[in-house]
Amino acid sequence: MPVPFDVKLMNMLATALFLGCGALLVLAGVRWAIHHPALSIARIVVQGEMEHNSAVSLQANVMPSLKGNFFTMDLDETRRIFEQAPWVRQARIKREFPSTLAVTITEQDAAAIWGAEGESRLLNSEGQMFEGDSTDPDLLHLPHLSGPAGRSQEVLAMFRALAPIYAKLDNALVALAESNSGSWKATLQSGAVIEMGQGREEVLSERVRKFVESLPEVTGTYRRSVASLTSADLRHAGGYAVRMQGVTTGTSASGRAAVKK
């Protein structure tokens, strides 16, 4: 005897209701399991070659900002939190079942100190600023660079172009500054200041190369060594001016000598 339509409809509704309730129970169970305290992150393992951080200090810095448990934690957000810590350039995050967060740290490679004294920041090898203690004695060997906002990469590139040329004087380039007008000034290890004027990298490199090549002859004319240089001005058309220790002009304790290129 055929089953009446209304009975079929009731059976279908009952089955759908049963399946729906079952699905809700499963979802509720999954939600409960995911948020259960037993699934909290119990351990953070930090690894990588670190000179300026330690696993303990990093965990102390980031733990208050971490959210979620083993399943709900946003790994991208967690990565960003680690990368906001001083000296951290890159962080790679992964889960390790059942309750461990594995973090691999790559530190910044400091290439220069940027900005005025007291307001200085650190630059990495790509000319990007990052957080770190620029007064650390271990960083005293780094060059000091400065320039207009947003020009750190260009100033670092200019330093890299000019440093090998000045090195031929056995007097290392230790500071380089670009003014707002685009004029460049170099400071050597001896304290000598070189005004180089404006120009692109290739222009300044050629200007400095000619200066470096001719300076020994100029200082020799005054019976002085290259080390006697206290300042130079390369902004003169067709020549430059130098000031040397012990070379007097009038009553000055040191004088200027005009040199044709």
Side-chain angles (χ1 to χ4, degrees):
M1 183 176 182
V3 178
F5 176 75
D6 57 343
V7 175
K8 287 183 177 182
L9 183 60
M10 288 294 295
N11 289 339
M12 292 174 61
L13 290 174
T15 300
L17 183 61
F18 175 78
L19 292 175
C21 290
L24 289 175
L25 287 174
V26 171
L27 289 174
V30 170
R31 183 179 178 84
W32 174 85
I34 287 177
H35 291 86
H36 195 275
L39 295 177
S40 299
I41 298 294
R43 191 166 67 120
I44 299 178
V45 177
V46 180
Q47 56 190 353
E49 295 184 7
M50 293 179 287
E51 295 183 10
H52 302 278
N53 281 299
S54 68
V56 173
S57 65
L58 278 175
Q59 291 182 38
N61 281 336
V62 304
M63 280 298 289
S65 301
L66 296 183
K67 299 177 181 179
N69 61 22
F70 185 81
F71 288 106
T72 62
M73 180 173 287
D74 185 330
L75 295 189
D76 283 337
E77 177 62 22
T78 302
R79 174 185 56 78
R80 285 190 288 271
I81 291 172
F82 271 95
E83 289 177 351
Q84 289 172 1
W87 283 96
V88 176
R89 182 170 188 172
Q90 184 182 54
R92 295 190 297 275
I93 315 291
K94 68 176 181 179
R95 298 180 179 94
E96 291 184 352
F97 193 82
S99 59
T100 299
L101 198 65
V103 184
T104 302
I105 295 295
T106 301
E107 283 197 330
Q108 298 278 6
D109 51 337
I113 297 173
W114 175 264
E117 188 175 351
E119 302 176 355
S120 55
R121 302 278 298 279
L122 291 170
L123 295 184
N124 63 22
S125 57
E126 295 180 2
Q128 301 166 332
M129 283 182 278
F130 68 93
E131 292 296 333
D133 183 7
S134 60
T135 63
D136 188 332
D138 291 336
L139 304 178
L140 292 178
H141 66 285
L142 294 178
H144 287 250
L145 309 180
S146 62
R151 290 280 295 172
S152 58
Q153 293 179 322
E154 290 78 7
V155 176
L156 179 59
M158 184 69 81
F159 174 86
R160 287 172 171 165
L162 298 180
I165 306 175
Y166 279 113
K168 295 177 182 179
L169 295 175
D170 292 325
N171 198 357
L173 177 62
V174 297
L176 182 65
E178 181 188 17
S179 69
N180 289 331
S181 63
S183 187
W184 296 85
K185 180 172 67 176
T187 303
L188 306 185
Q189 192 170 34
S190 65
V193 176
I194 316 297
E195 294 285 356
M196 297 178 292
Q198 298 177 336
R200 298 187 302 275
E201 182 179 307
E202 59 271 20
V203 174
L204 258 64
S205 294
E206 181 63 13
R207 190 178 300 161
V208 172
R209 184 187 64 77
K210 290 180 178 179
F211 164 69
V212 167
E213 289 177 352
S214 61
L215 184 62
E217 181 180 354
V218 173
T219 55
T221 300
Y222 292 88
R223 298 182 181 180
R224 295 291 183 271
S225 67
V226 171
S228 68
L229 178 73
T230 59
S231 65
D233 191 340
L234 314 187
R235 296 173 293 181
H236 300 274
Y240 57 83
V242 296
R243 189 181 293 272
M244 295 171 281
Q245 296 173 353
V247 177
T248 61
T249 299
T251 59
S252 175
S254 62
R256 293 169 65 92
V259 182
K260 291 184 178 179
K261 293 180 181 177

